Amino acid sequence: ETGVTQSPTHLIKTRGQQVTLRCSSQSGHNTVSWYQQALGQGPQFIFQYYREEENGRGNFPPRFSGLQFPNYSSELNVNALELDDSALYLCASSPDQSSGGTDTQYFGPGTRLTVL
Amino acid sequence: GEDVEQSLFLSVREGDSSVINCTYTDSSSTYLYWYKQEPGAGLQLLTYIFSNMDMKQDQRLTVLLNKKDKHLSLRIADTQTGDSAIYFCAESLGQTGANNLFFGTGTRLTVIP
């Protein structure tokens, strides 16, 4: 148990729709990262938020956007869904370095998105 | 760009040792990680090593880092059927591990009873 939760567990959408995935980090973890894991692949970094600001972005188009809230929750939004967006979406949280926490990322169980 | 490579499959007999290998390209990596993923589940952190170390042992797990060759390995002693899973090696390029991780494609470990 990492203390990181994600909802929903599974989701089915159709092409062109929009989706919002949610993540709840451990208390005190001010950094949240989102990853996309396609079938048979390793996770790929989408973006990272630190104290509610975007803190880095991978090679994903602007239709992938995010939000982080003061209560350690965050969202990943994907607009204009495409078939290739079908994947497991993972969020990972890290403790605030200023509090002397460790440097590792703790992953949630993921949301499996299927786009038809 | 960053590239992390792993062999795709490994089969071992229960009770034997497993060695999973990983190579990475970015010499500025500061932290290297091993994660375990069971079917349909998220990633479980197994262990990590700072780039200024060459070995770390944690119970049945031993991590070896050869920074010159950019080679990382994970040895699992006395492998059990519950160790069957996909193992991912990942590198972090930032000053701390809170920066993004680059993952390999994963090694599927099958433990034969």
Side-chain angles (χ1 to χ4, degrees), chain B residues 87-106:
Chain B
Y87 290 79
F88 290 96
C89 148
E91 60 174 344
S92 170
L93 304 183
Q95 292 296 319
T96 72
N99 283 277
N100 55 290
L101 301 175
F102 291 91
F103 286 86
T105 52

Side-chain angles (χ1 to χ4, degrees), chain B:
Chain B
E2 301 79 13
D3 193 18
V4 179
E5 292 191 356
Q6 301 177 239
S7 52
L8 291 179
F9 302 100
L10 176 66
S11 289
V12 299
R13 292 209 172 272
E14 191 175 15
D16 288 350
S17 292
S18 308
V19 179
I20 303 171
N21 295 301
C22 169
T23 57
Y24 59 97
T25 56
D26 200 306
S27 57
S28 60
S29 296
T30 53
Y31 295 79
L32 294 133
Y33 300 83
W34 284 104
Y35 283 88
K36 175 184 179 184
Q37 187 174 39
E38 297 184 69
L43 298 174
Q44 175 194 351
L45 174 68
L46 290 177
T47 188
Y48 63 93
I49 189 167
F50 297 160
S51 57
N52 62 358
M53 298 170 64
D54 52 21
M55 187 182 92
K56 181 178 180 181
Q57 187 150 3
D58 184 359
Q59 299 182 343
R60 292 192 298 125
L61 305 179
T62 303
V63 179
L64 296 178
L65 175 61
N66 181 328
K67 200 171 178 184
K68 175 176 166 288
D69 294 338
K70 297 177 195 163
H71 182 266
L72 182 73
S73 68
L74 173 70
R75 178 177 180 270
I76 306 172
D78 186 25
T79 313
Q80 303 297 306
T81 54
D83 295 324
S84 292
I86 300 176
Y87 290 79
F88 290 96
C89 148
E91 60 174 344
S92 170
L93 304 183
Q95 292 296 319
T96 72
N99 283 277
N100 55 290
L101 301 175
F102 291 91
F103 286 86
T105 52
T107 299
R108 181 179 295 275
L109 173 65
T110 301
V111 182
I112 304 163

Side-chain angles (χ1 to χ4, degrees), chain A residues 35 37 42 45 48 103-105, chain B residues 31 35 37 97-101:
Chain A
Y35 293 82
Q37 186 180 19
F45 174 70
Q48 183 179 85
D103 302 311
T104 52
Q105 297 188 20
Chain B
Y31 295 79
Y35 283 88
Q37 187 174 39
N99 283 277
N100 55 290
L101 301 175

Side-chain angles (χ1 to χ4, degrees), chain A residues 37-68:
Chain A
Q37 186 180 19
L39 200 61
Q41 302 294 317
Q44 284 197 300
F45 174 70
I46 303 174
F47 45 57
Q48 183 179 85
Y49 278 78
Y50 174 65
R51 292 187 174 176
E52 301 161 50
E53 299 276 336
E54 189 177 292
N55 186 39
R57 188 176 185 94
N59 190 25
F60 281 81
R63 60 190 184 83
F64 285 78
S65 63
L67 285 171
Q68 186 186 24

